[in-house]
Amino acid sequence: MSHQEAVALLKRLGLEPYRAAVAKKVAALLRQCESDGDGDGDGEISFREFVRLVVRVRHHWRRIREDAHSEEFNKHDGDGSGRIERRGVMAAWRALRLYRSGAEEALARRMVAEGRCNEDGLFDFATFQEMTERLMECLHARATEASFAYAAARGISAAHVFA
């Protein structure tokens, strides 16, 4: 796929490649894909390179957001054990303003209910961070799909939605 297609697919996956916080990093990672070797010389990104790109963009977003997530997690870790309950996860997400509608809150509740917790039913920070990133990606992907659907209903091609 081309660089433009890769960026559009990152957007559809909810990774927000156009956001100022990561746009330069995405551009640098795409250049790195080229410099790491374009096996067939066609200037395209292979599936394997795209998967590596996704992992790197996710990692970059996680580093950017980690301090805010850690601070909010700690507010809900009343006993300082490094673990919070399901309701603490929801309270932290609410405080981080991750969801805005009832449908988004329902998705968040499902994710918490299905989340990996320890034997006591508590979540450590690593799990909280992973779930938070997954929720954010899912919500951004849904918003992107809604934008595509809105544009399509008005006769605007998907290629022009985020051009």
Side-chain angles (χ1 to χ4, degrees), residues 41-56:
D42 64 358
E44 300 283 305
I45 296 171
S46 70
F47 179 73
R48 175 172 278 171
E49 290 169 327
F50 182 74
V51 170
R52 263 196 309 266
L53 178 64
V54 167
V55 169
R56 290 174 178 164

Side-chain angles (χ1 to χ4, degrees), residues 80-135:
S81 67
R83 300 180 319 218
I84 60 175
E85 298 176 340
R86 292 179 195 282
R87 66 185 165 160
V89 172
M90 289 301 296
W93 286 352
R94 193 170 24 262
L96 289 166
R97 300 174 187 212
L98 297 187
Y99 51 85
R100 295 180 200 97
S101 70
E104 291 177 347
E105 182 177 359
L107 172 65
R109 288 189 184 288
R110 271 195 315 277
M111 289 181 81
V112 169
E114 296 168 1
R116 232 180 346 115
C117 55
N118 68 15
E119 61 280 349
D120 296 334
L122 302 173
F123 296 89
D124 62 19
F125 179 70
T127 303
F128 170 79
Q129 177 78 341
E130 180 183 314
M131 288 173 37
T132 302
E133 293 297 322
R134 200 175 64 196
L135 174 63

Side-chain angles (χ1 to χ4, degrees), residues 65-78:
R65 296 172 174 150
E66 187 169 12
D67 288 341
H69 293 174
S70 177
E71 183 179 326
E72 201 54 49
F73 178 90
N74 290 332
K75 288 179 186 176
H76 300 282
D77 179 14

